Amino acid sequence: MIKKTFQAPVFVLSLSLSLGVSLSGAGAQSTADSAYLERRNDHGIVVYCSSKGLLDADAEQFFKVGTDEMFGEVKNTPEADLHEQKGRDGISYLQGEEQSLADLAEANDVSVAEVCGKYKTQITLGRMMAKRKAGK
């Protein structure tokens, strides 16, 4: 079993919001590949958590708003799709290492619900971004 500390990657999203910076653009994807793959895995985990009733039903929609804001339009790749599917299956998949959310929670002495709860801030930020884009 791989033991790693869980922290949802809210830093990049928060930084881009506070600085008004977009990470999209021609060179952004080449320098942000691993961050994008991790974000795709997180997207899948948000879907998994929502399906278990641990996050709101619309959590995926607003998590995606943040991802789109951070990375712009990115072409799907088999590797990115794999990272997201692993998350949808309840598996943290980073840099080739897998760990189920249950094992991750146990290794950090928290519940799976608490792991899922770590995404709430990012989902809230996505809601705020969506409102801003809608002019509300």
Side-chain angles (χ1 to χ4, degrees):
M1 176 182 3
I2 301 166
K3 182 175 180 178
K4 54 185 166 181
T5 303
F6 173 77
Q7 289 186 320
V10 74
F11 172 75
V12 176
L13 180 59
S14 297
L15 182 63
S16 67
L17 280 175
S18 65
L19 297 178
V21 173
S22 173
L23 295 178
S24 61
Q29 182 57 31
S30 63
T31 60
D33 284 341
S34 73
Y36 177 71
L37 293 175
E38 289 177 13
R39 186 71 177 190
R40 285 287 301 269
N41 181 248
D42 289 336
H43 183 124
I45 291 171
V46 167
V47 172
Y48 173 85
C49 293
S50 294
S51 75
K52 302 294 182 194
L54 301 172
L55 290 174
D56 293 339
D58 62 358
E60 175 186 10
Q61 171 190 351
F62 293 109
F63 190 86
K64 185 173 180 342
V65 168
T67 300
D68 291 348
E69 182 72 20
M70 286 172 50
F71 294 100
E73 181 126 356
V74 178
K75 183 179 176 185
N76 282 338
T77 64
E79 186 177 18
D81 291 343
L82 173 64
H83 275 73
E84 184 171 328
Q85 186 57 53
K86 291 288 185 177
R88 288 174 181 264
D89 293 338
I91 298 169
S92 172
Y93 184 77
L94 303 172
Q95 300 174 349
E97 297 183 16
E98 296 182 4
Q99 186 173 28
S100 73
L101 292 187
D103 288 344
L104 180 62
E106 182 180 328
N108 288 283
D109 199 28
V110 298
S111 68
V112 172
E114 289 176 89
V115 172
C116 291
K118 295 290 185 181
Y119 292 95
K120 288 181 179 180
T121 300
Q122 295 171 71
I123 294 162
T124 299
L125 290 172
R127 286 182 206 282
M128 291 170 26
M129 294 166 111
K131 282 183 181 179
R132 186 189 72 208
K133 281 186 171 186
K136 294 180 181 179

